[in-house]
């Protein structure tokens, strides 16, 4: 189970994607307000896709834990669009 995370994603990749998704979704930093970048990384699409891959690749117990972290951000993202 742990091997899966280490082969398909480098350690910390999931945490990085989660932080990136959070940053893209939660109210903008000064950086985003000034630049208004619309690339996949900055809008959150790319990190959210990585999280989705992780959710599918992880064993169910770990997937549930991760989803519990992703869900509030998803809800916020939907409510904002
Ligand atoms: Zn960008």
């Amino acid at each position: 189970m742990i091997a899966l995370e280490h082969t398909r994603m480098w350690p910390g990749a999931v945490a990085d994607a989660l932080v990136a998704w959070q940053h893209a979704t939660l109210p903008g930093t000064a950086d985003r307000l000034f630049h208004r970048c619309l690339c996949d990384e900055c809008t959150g699409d790319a990190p959210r896709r990585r999280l989705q891959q992780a959710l599918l690749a992880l064993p169910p117990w770990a997937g549930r834990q991760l989803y519990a972290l992703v869900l509030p951000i998803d809800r916020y993202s939907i409510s904002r669009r």
Side-chain angles (χ1 to χ4, degrees):
M1 287 183 179
I2 294 164
L4 201 132
E5 200 185 2
H6 282 256
T7 51
R8 295 182 61 164
M9 291 198 152
W10 65 99
V14 174
D16 286 351
L18 190 63
V19 168
W21 175 224
Q22 204 163 22
H23 276 253
T25 305
L26 298 178
T29 60
D31 224 35
R32 284 181 56 227
L33 289 174
F34 283 116
H35 294 297
R36 292 194 181 278
C37 180
L38 295 175
C39 80
D40 280 359
E41 285 299 325
C42 297
T43 58
D45 287 352
R48 186 57 183 85
R49 270 201 300 275
R50 287 199 293 276
L51 288 170
Q52 195 59 41
Q53 283 175 349
L55 286 169
L56 295 173
L58 287 167
W61 62 268
R64 276 196 299 277
Q65 286 184 344
L66 176 60
Y67 192 61
L69 299 171
V70 174
L71 189 61
I73 312 173
D74 280 358
R75 289 215 176 107
Y76 189 84
S77 169
I78 290 162
S79 74
R80 216 173 51 113
R81 282 176 188 181

